[in-house]
Amino acid sequence: MSNIDRASVITAIERLAAAMERDFDMLNTADGALGDGDLGITMRRGMRMVAENSATIPDDLGLALLQCAQAFTKTSGSSYGTLLATGLMAIAKSVKGQSEVSAGQVSELVAAARDKMQARGKADLGGKTVLDSLDAVAGATAGKTGTAEVADAASKAVDDALDALRDKKATIGRARIFADKSVGMDDPGMLAMNRIIKALANREG
Amino acid sequence: MSNIDRASVITAIERLAAAMERDFDMLNTADGALGDGDLGITMRRGMRMVAENSATIPDDLGLALLQCAQAFTKTSGSSYGTLLATGLMAIAKSVKGQSEVSAGQVSELVAAARDKMQARGKADLGGKTVLDSLDAVAGATAGKTGTAEVADAASKAVDDALDALRDKKATIGRARIFADKSVGMDDPGMLAMNRIIKALANREG
Amino acid sequence: MKKILNNPNDYVDEMLAGMVAAHPEYYRLHGDTGKVVARAQKAVDGKVGIVTGGGSGHLPVFTGYVGTGLLDTCAIGDVFSSPSAEQMADAIRAADQGAGVLRLYGNYGGDVMNFDMAGDLVEFDDIECTTVLLADDVASAPPAEHEKRRGVAGMVYAFKLAGAAAEAGGDLAAVTAVAQKAADACRSVGAALSPCTVPQAGKPTFEIADDEMEMGMGIHGEPGVWRGKLRTADQIAGEMMDRLLDDMPLKTGDRVSIMVNSLGATPPEELYILYRIVKQRLESVGVEIVMPLVGRYATSMEMTGVSFTMCKLDAELEDLLKAPCDCAFWRVG
Amino acid sequence: MKKILNNPNDYVDEMLAGMVAAHPEYYRLHGDTGKVVARAQKAVDGKVGIVTGGGSGHLPVFTGYVGTGLLDTCAIGDVFSSPSAEQMADAIRAADQGAGVLRLYGNYGGDVMNFDMAGDLVEFDDIECTTVLLADDVASAPPAEHEKRRGVAGMVYAFKLAGAAAEAGGDLAAVTAVAQKAADACRSVGAALSPCTVPQAGKPTFEIADDEMEMGMGIHGEPGVWRGKLRTADQIAGEMMDRLLDDMPLKTGDRVSIMVNSLGATPPEELYILYRIVKQRLESVGVEIVMPLVGRYATSMEMTGVSFTMCKLDAELEDLLKAPCDCAFWRVG
Ligand SMILES: Nc1ncnc2c1ncn2[C@@H]1O[C@H](COP(=O)(O)OP(=O)(O)O)[C@@H](O)[C@H]1O
Ligand SMILES: Nc1ncnc2c1ncn2[C@@H]1O[C@H](COP(=O)(O)OP(=O)(O)O)[C@@H](O)[C@H]1O
Ligand SMILES: [Mg+2]
Ligand SMILES: [Mg+2]
Ligand SMILES: [Mg+2]
Ligand SMILES: [Mg+2]
C-alpha cells in the first residue's frame, strides 16, 4: 500500500463518518455515565459536516485537514470537538503544502496533535483522557514505516490504552466530578479515539 | 337570671376564650379540609386578645363590644375574624350607651349582626356559611325573653343549622373551590359559631 | 419542603425586614404592626394616595410595587392570607397626603371584606377613599359574571397606570377613573405546572403529576379549566392567547401591552420561548405591541407556571404606561 | 419534566428569538449561527470590546448582560454547553471597535478551550485579545488551588466593573486590569435544594431527597462540600458567610458589595430572609455594604437554591459599580 493522499483521506472520512453513525448511541451513553452525554452528538455532527464537504477538499493535505478541523469548531462547543480540531490543526500545520504523507510520519504527527491538545486542555498525560490514547498511538507507531504495520500498531495501542487506564480515576473535564464512580469505566474520549483510530486504520470489527 | 351586663360579658369572654383554646385543633382541621386551615388560629388569637383586655372593658356595652371587635380586626385578616368583628360592631352600635341588655333583645341583635355581615361578605342566606347559623339563632330566639329559654333556643338552633346545611355544597369563600367535596361536611364557620353560641349560652358539653 | 426559612410563622416578618434592609432607598416599614410598607420618602402633599394590600408570597406583588409612579403604601398579610383590617387602615392613613386614597387591589373575598372594614375604620380620620378591584383572570368566571373574577397580574398594569396618573397630579376622581379604565382593559390567564408551599402549611398547595399541567389555575392553586398532559410551549401559548382574545377581541390597529409572567420557578428562558408565539399571534391580527413585559411580575413563590396579561391601551393609558416609575423590581424611564 | 418548551433541540434558538423580540432596544442577533447576541446599538468606535460566552440556562447570565456599561457581545451555547469556537470568534469580531477585545468569562474547561481556540481563529483579523477568567466559587477548590475554581455569579460584578471601565474610555490594558481586579475581589458560594433539567437530557441534573440540601454545589450540579438535612435560613446564611469570610477575611472599614442570588426557583421572599443575616454578619465586623444585589442575577433555570457573592471594593471599583449601566435585566443610575 502507498502513502496517504487526498483519495485515501476521502476514503477514511467515509469510514469514519459511518463509524460515528454506528457508535452514536454508544458514545452518548458512555459520556452520559460520566459527563453530559453529548459525545456521540459531537462526533456524528462533526463527521457529517466533514463528509458533506469531502468532495471539495483540496489536494494540499494541510488545507484538507484544516477544513476537517473547521467542521468541528463550527458544529460543537464540546471539549472533544475542540480538542480534535486542535489536533487536526496541529497536523495540518505540519503537512501544509504536501499532497502526500507517508505512514512513517504518523507517529510524529500524532505526537504533534497530542502536544497541541495538551497545551489547549492543560491536562496531564496519565490523566485518563484522549491524550493517553494518542500518546499510546504515537509510541506504538514510532519507528514503523509500513502502512499495515502502522495500522496494526495504532489499533492495538488504543485497545491497550483503554486497558491501562480503565481502573484509574478520571481527573479532567466533567468526568472528574465522578472520579470514584469512573474507576473501572472507560473514559468516553478514549473510547471515541479507539473507534476513530480503528476506522482510520481500517481495523474495525 | 338577670340581664346581660359588663360582668356577664366578662364571664362569657372567659368561657369563650377557654372554648377556643379547646377547639383550636378541631377548627383548624375543619378549615384545613375545605380552606386554609387557619380558623382555629383566628379564633384563638382573637379571643386571647379579647380575654387579655377584658379587665379594662367599659360598662357601656356598646364600647365593650367595640373593644372586642377590635381584637379581631387587629389580630387577623382571615374572613371569619373580619365577619365576627363586623357583627360585633353592628351589635355595639345598637347597644351603645346601654350598660344592660335583656335576653329578649338577643334575637334582634343577632339579626342585626347577620345583616351587617351579609352586607360585608355579600353572601346569600342558605349559602352554607356562618350567616345561616346566625339566621337560625335569630329565628329561634325571636319572641323569647327568658335568659334560659333564649340560651336553649340558641344552642339548639346552631345544631339544627349544621344539620340543615351539611349536605349542601359550599358556595362562598375558599370552600367554594371544594364545592363537591364539601357535601356532607360541616362548614367550618358554622362549626365555629356552634361552639361560640354554646359557650356564650353556657350550654356546652 | 424545598424552602429556605426559619420558623414558618416568621416568614413574612423576616422577609419584610430583609427587604427594607436591602432597599432602604425604596421602602420603609410603617406603624407598629410591622406589616405595612411605605415609600422611603413620602410623596408630595396633595398627591392622591394609592394603597394596596393582600397576602404575601407574590413578590414583586404587592409590596414590591411601592415606589415613585406606583403605590404609596401596602398592607401585607401572611402568605396567601389577607392582612387585617387594622393593618389596611394603617396603610390607608399612611398613604394619605390630604387628597384622598384609592384602594387598588385584587378581587379576593377576604381582601375585599378587610379593605371595606378598613374604610369604616378610617372614616373617623376623614380620609376620602375610593376602591378599584382587579378582576382580570378570565379563567375564573365567564364574561357574564366578570365581576366575580379573581384579580391577578393585571394589577401590575393598574398600579403603573393609576400610579402615573397620581404622580401627574390627578385628583382622586381622575386617578380612580384611570385605575378603573386600566382594570377594565386587562385580561389575564394562567397555567400551572407545579405548586408552591405555604410555609405555615408545610405542604404543597395542590398535587399534580410530573407530566401534567393545569390550564387556568389560580395563583393560590384555585382549580382551573382543565388538567391534562403537559403540552408544548407553542400549544400552551396558543391556547392562552385564544382565551384572552376570545374574552377581549382585538382588531387591526389596536395597541396593547402584554405581560408574559413567570409564576416563580419558570425561568426567563421559557418565557421568551412563549413570547415568540404571543408576538406572532398579536401581529397576525394587526395589533401593535407596546412595552411588552417578560419576567417575574406577579408570582406565587416557587410555583412553576406562567400567566399572560393583555392590557389594551388608548392614548391616555399608553402615555401613563410609558411615564417614569421606580421601585426595586421595576423601572420605567 | 416541569418545563415549558417545544423540541428540546430548539430551546436555545427559540429562547434567543423571543429575547430579541421582547427587547429589540437592547439586543440583536449577530451573524449566521444565531447564537451570538450583540448590543442593539454598537458601541462607539474606539471603545474596548468586552465579550463573554458560555452555556445557556443561566439568564440573565450570559446574554442578558449585553448592554451599555456592560458587555458588547456574547456567544451562547446549548444549555450548560460551551458555544463553539467559531461562535466565539464571531462574537469577538462583533465586539471589536478597533481597540481590542477582553474575553471575560467563567473558568470552565470547555469554555476556556473554545475561547483560546477562538483567539487563534481571530488572529488573522488582527484583533488584540486579552482574557480574564472568573474563578470565584470558594467551594470548588481550596485557596491554594484558587485558579482551578469555577466561575459563578462573581462574573456579574466583573461584567459591571469592566463594562464601566470600558464605557469610560479605558484602553484594553486598563479594562483588563479592572476586570482582573474585580475577579480577584469576588468570592462566591452556593447551596442547592433541588435540581434543574437540561432540556436535551430530559432528566434532572442530580437527585436529592425532599428534606436535603447540598452546600457548595456548582451551578450545573457539580458536587459540593456536604449534603445533609435542610437547615434553617439563618444557619445556611451563617455557614455561607463563614465560608466567604474564611476565604477573604474582612476588617472594620472595608467596603463590599454583596449579592444574594437565587439559582432560579428560590423566591425573593427567601432571599430577603437570608439577607438579614448577611447584613448582620458584615455589619458585626464593621464592614460597610455598598449596593447590595438581592435577586436573580445568575441562575440555573428552575434550580432551587442560593448563592452569595462578596465583592470587595476599593475607591476605583466602587465608582465603577455605581456608574450607569443598562440591559433588560439590570439598570444602575
Ligand atoms: N482538558 C482536557 N484535556 C484532554 N482531554 C479532555 C479534556 N477535557 C475533556 N477531555 C476529553 O474529552 C472527553 C469528553 O468530551 P466531551 O463529551 O466533548 O466533553 P464535554 O461535553 O464535557 O465538553 C473526555 O472523556 C476526555 O477524554
Ligand atoms: N363572604 C362570606 N360571607 C359569609 N361567611 C363567610 C364568607 N366568607 C367566609 N365565610 C365564613 O367564614 C368561614 C371561613 O373563615 P376563615 O377560615 O377565616 O376564611 P379564610 O381563612 O378563607 O379567610 C367559612 O366557613 C364561612 O362560614
Ligand atoms: Mg460531553
Ligand atoms: Mg458537552
Ligand atoms: Mg381559613
Ligand atoms: Mg385565612
Side-chain angles (χ1 to χ4, degrees), chain B residues 31 36 38-39 42 78-80 83 121 123 129-131 172-174 187-190, chain C residues 113:
Chain B
D31 189 38
D36 60 355
D38 63 357
L39 189 53
T42 302
S78 258
S79 308
Y80 206 75
L83 286 167
T129 71
V130 63
L131 298 181
I172 282 291
R174 296 183 197 264
D187 172 65
M190 293 183 68
Chain C
M113 281 191 247

Side-chain angles (χ1 to χ4, degrees), chain D residues 27-51:
Chain D
Y27 310 117
R28 68 185 166 84
L29 290 176
H30 166 86
D32 51 11
T33 64
K35 294 245 176 62
V36 174
V37 173
R39 293 191 195 181
Q41 311 292 337
K42 211 173 154 78
V44 289
D45 267 10
K47 188 190 90 67
V48 165
I50 306 181
V51 64

Side-chain angles (χ1 to χ4, degrees), chain C:
Chain C
M1 171 162 58
K2 288 299 188 182
K3 295 183 77 73
I4 301 177
L5 42 68
N6 297 302
N7 184 332
N9 296 324
D10 300 331
Y11 192 83
V12 173
D13 288 329
E14 293 182 351
M15 175 274 272
L16 290 173
M19 189 173 117
V20 299
H23 310 292
E25 69 282 24
Y26 288 116
Y27 310 116
R28 66 184 167 85
L29 289 177
H30 166 87
D32 51 12
T33 64
K35 293 246 176 62
V36 174
V37 172
R39 293 190 194 183
Q41 311 292 335
K42 212 173 153 79
V44 289
D45 267 9
K47 189 189 88 69
V48 165
I50 306 181
V51 64
T52 195
S56 292
H58 301 298
L59 279 178
V61 164
F62 299 84
T63 31
Y65 293 112
V66 168
T68 314
L70 295 162
L71 305 168
D72 290 277
T73 63
C74 171
I76 193 88
D78 268 335
V79 172
F80 295 0
S81 298
S82 174
S84 73
E86 285 282 348
Q87 286 159 352
M88 287 175 168
D90 268 1
I92 293 171
R93 288 182 199 108
D96 183 44
Q97 283 103 210
V101 175
L102 165 63
R103 293 172 288 198
L104 182 56
Y105 60 99
N107 184 31
Y108 290 91
D111 295 332
V112 175
M113 281 191 247
N114 284 311
F115 258 125
D116 287 350
M117 170 73 99
D120 295 354
L121 297 174
V122 299
E123 256 178 27
F124 307 97
D125 306 69
D126 266 339
I127 302 175
E128 198 187 345
C129 285
T130 56
T131 296
V132 172
L133 289 180
L134 268 291
D136 50 317
D137 187 342
V138 302
S140 56
E145 300 176 70
H146 64 86
E147 75 291 344
K148 288 196 184 162
R149 289 176 172 173
R150 298 180 292 251
V152 286
M155 75 180 77
V156 178
Y157 283 109
F159 295 164
K160 175 72 184 77
L161 299 170
E167 216 73 45
D171 65 15
L172 182 60
V175 172
T176 305
V178 164
Q180 191 61 58
K181 201 202 238 185
D184 293 340
C186 285
R187 296 291 184 286
S188 299
V189 66
L193 278 68
S194 80
C196 59
T197 294
V198 176
Q200 288 173 313
K203 61 174 201 315
T205 48
F206 59 91
E207 295 195 358
I208 184 163
D210 197 46
D211 61 347
E212 280 186 336
M213 63 176 287
E214 185 157 328
M215 177 61 66
M217 181 170 258
I219 53 173
H220 311 102
E222 297 92 339
V225 293
W226 60 258
R227 178 180 284 211
K229 290 268 174 269
L230 182 57
R231 304 208 175 147
T232 67
D234 290 358
Q235 287 168 337
I236 294 169
E239 176 171 347
M240 288 171 66
M241 288 308 294
D242 284 346
R243 289 181 180 276
L244 294 181
L245 291 168
D246 278 356
D247 209 87
M248 182 166 69
L250 296 177
K251 55 181 197 311
T252 304
D254 281 344
R255 298 171 72 80
V256 302
S257 181
I258 180 117
M259 179 189 297
V260 175
N261 174 56
S262 168
L263 298 183
T266 294
E269 282 81 356
E270 292 164 33
L271 302 180
Y272 290 128
I273 290 175
L274 293 164
Y275 182 70
R276 293 158 39 253
I277 301 299
V278 168
K279 183 162 185 270
Q280 280 166 24
R281 275 299 295 280
L282 289 173
E283 289 181 351
S284 75
V285 289
V287 168
E288 179 94 11
I289 301 176
V290 179
M291 213 169 98
L293 303 175
V294 183
R296 288 169 172 112
Y297 289 89
T299 68
S300 292
M301 296 182 295
E302 70 280 8
M303 193 158 162
T304 310
V306 291
S307 70
F308 292 177
T309 299
M310 210 160 71
C311 178
K312 190 172 165 185
L313 301 169
D314 62 10
E316 181 190 23
L317 294 185
E318 185 166 339
D319 283 348
L320 293 167
L321 183 64
K322 291 175 175 168
C325 76
D326 195 11
C327 68
F329 295 87
W330 192 24
R331 226 167 104 187
V332 176

Side-chain angles (χ1 to χ4, degrees), chain A residues 31 36 38 78-80 83 121 123 129-130 172 174 187-189, chain D residues 113:
Chain A
D31 189 37
D36 60 356
D38 64 357
S78 259
S79 308
Y80 206 74
L83 287 167
T129 71
V130 62
I172 282 291
R174 296 182 196 264
D187 172 65
Chain D
M113 280 191 246

Side-chain angles (χ1 to χ4, degrees), chain B residues 43-58:
Chain B
M43 287 309 305
R44 184 171 83 176
R45 203 189 277 164
M47 283 314 303
R48 278 185 180 177
M49 183 160 166
V50 171
E52 264 166 35
N53 299 318
S54 72
T56 66
I57 66 167

Side-chain angles (χ1 to χ4, degrees), chain B residues 20-90:
Chain B
M20 292 303 113
E21 296 287 341
R22 179 197 67 202
D23 293 339
F24 177 74
D25 283 331
M26 186 275 286
L27 291 175
N28 283 338
T29 307
D31 189 38
L34 297 174
D36 60 355
D38 63 357
L39 189 53
I41 299 174
T42 302
M43 287 309 305
R44 184 171 83 176
R45 203 189 277 164
M47 283 314 303
R48 278 185 180 177
M49 183 160 166
V50 171
E52 264 166 35
N53 299 318
S54 72
T56 66
I57 66 167
D59 282 328
D60 177 337
L61 292 183
L63 297 179
L65 293 182
L66 201 65
Q67 181 172 316
C68 297
Q70 274 165 359
F72 284 93
T73 59
K74 279 212 167 97
T75 57
S76 166
S78 258
S79 308
Y80 206 75
T82 307
L83 286 167
L84 271 192
T86 304
L88 285 169
M89 282 167 77

